[in-house]
Amino acid sequence: DAGITQSPRHKVTETGTPVTLRCHQTENHRYMYWYRQDPGHGLRLIHYSYGVKDTDKGEVSDGYSVSRSKTEDFLLTLESATSSQTSVYFCAISDLAGDGYETQYFGPGTRLLVL
Amino acid sequence: AQSVTQLDSQVPVFEEAPVELRCNYSSSVSVYLFWYVQYPNQGLQLLLKYLSGSTLVKGINGFEAEFNKSQTSFHLRKPSVHISDTAEYFCAVSERAAGNKLTFGGGTRVLVKP
């Protein structure tokens, strides 16, 4: 258990409203990630962070922003939600395993429905 | 840019039968390879990973995978499945020069029938 929680776990919102999803970790990991999961696409990286206030874009970053003001929290914001952002969102952290590679561990996910 | 193809979107299999899930990748550089499993309504759990060394990798729950560099494949196998193996399985790749960023395949849904 990598000590990752996501909130909320489920959310229904309307098109055009802002939405913020929170990822919280308890074990001081440096790297944190946001993915979205859609049928047939697997998981796709939205944004990631390599430290407090250090973030970068992933493969599908348009329409999303992130912030990391504390090591333990990584926030994903949809400034103006659209129906195409209906998805399951996963947070992940990296942990340095015994083999020297930063293996990623995933949170339980947030189901977002944009009407 | 790297990409991952999982050739089967769904694989039905009877309990105690063997299963193989196919994964092919494309990359111009050396890669790390992973298989993750997702049980219904849960997050992803790491099954196994290939970083270097022996091309046959053993993971949790009796799964193993073989890295074939010439065929750019990393197929997952289990000799005898259980009902509890019903889940979605994802192959993923990380280029060695790209840090920890993962690229996932589209997933293979395994349904184990009694």
Side-chain angles (χ1 to χ4, degrees), chain B:
Chain B
Q2 60 202 21
S3 66
V4 180
T5 302
Q6 292 184 240
L7 298 164
D8 305 296
S9 59
Q10 294 188 60
V11 174
V13 58
F14 286 105
E15 193 174 17
E16 298 184 7
V19 70
E20 178 180 81
L21 308 184
R22 297 179 292 169
C23 172
N24 287 88
Y25 69 93
S26 66
S27 175
S28 57
V29 300
S30 296
V31 296
Y32 301 122
L33 295 156
F34 307 83
W35 277 98
Y36 282 85
V37 60
Q38 184 180 32
Y39 299 105
N41 299 311
Q42 294 187 25
L44 276 69
Q45 179 182 356
L46 182 66
L47 269 181
L48 50 80
K49 59 186 174 184
Y50 171 79
L51 303 182
S52 64
S54 173
T55 57
L56 184 62
V57 181
K58 294 189 182 299
I60 62 172
N61 300 340
F63 284 92
E64 64 181 31
E66 186 157 18
F67 170 54
N68 187 319
K69 187 175 181 179
S70 62
Q71 298 187 6
T72 60
S73 67
F74 191 53
H75 301 333
L76 180 72
R77 303 185 185 94
K78 185 170 183 178
S80 176
V81 296
H82 304 290
I83 296 288
S84 60
D85 292 320
T86 293
E88 190 158 20
Y89 294 79
F90 293 95
C91 182
V93 62
S94 174
E95 290 184 342
R96 297 191 180 207
N100 299 333
K101 289 187 286 185
L102 289 174
T103 298
F104 284 85
T108 298
R109 196 173 295 274
V110 173
L111 175 60
V112 181
K113 303 177 181 180

Side-chain angles (χ1 to χ4, degrees), chain A residues 46-65:
Chain A
I46 305 172
H47 282 279
Y48 65 102
S49 169
Y50 43 93
V52 173
K53 297 187 179 179
D54 290 325
T55 65
D56 205 349
K57 295 179 179 180
E59 177 187 356
V60 290
S61 60
D62 287 349
Y64 301 95
S65 62

Side-chain angles (χ1 to χ4, degrees), chain A residues 8-60:
Chain A
R9 294 292 313 280
H10 302 270
K11 186 168 181 68
V12 180
T13 191
E14 294 186 350
T15 298
T17 60
V19 176
T20 295
L21 309 183
R22 180 183 183 233
C23 177
H24 179 78
Q25 56 139 332
T26 60
E27 299 184 6
N28 218 32
H29 298 294
R30 178 183 174 193
Y31 287 88
M32 299 183 76
Y33 310 79
W34 277 109
Y35 292 87
R36 60 177 290 172
Q37 181 181 22
D38 304 290
H41 291 277
L43 277 75
R44 291 177 291 176
L45 182 64
I46 305 172
H47 282 279
Y48 65 102
S49 169
Y50 43 93
V52 173
K53 297 187 179 179
D54 290 325
T55 65
D56 205 349
K57 295 179 179 180
E59 177 187 356
V60 290

Side-chain angles (χ1 to χ4, degrees), chain A residues 78-89:
Chain A
L78 291 65
E79 301 289 348
S80 177
T82 67
S83 58
S84 65
Q85 294 175 312
T86 291
S87 188
V88 182
Y89 291 86

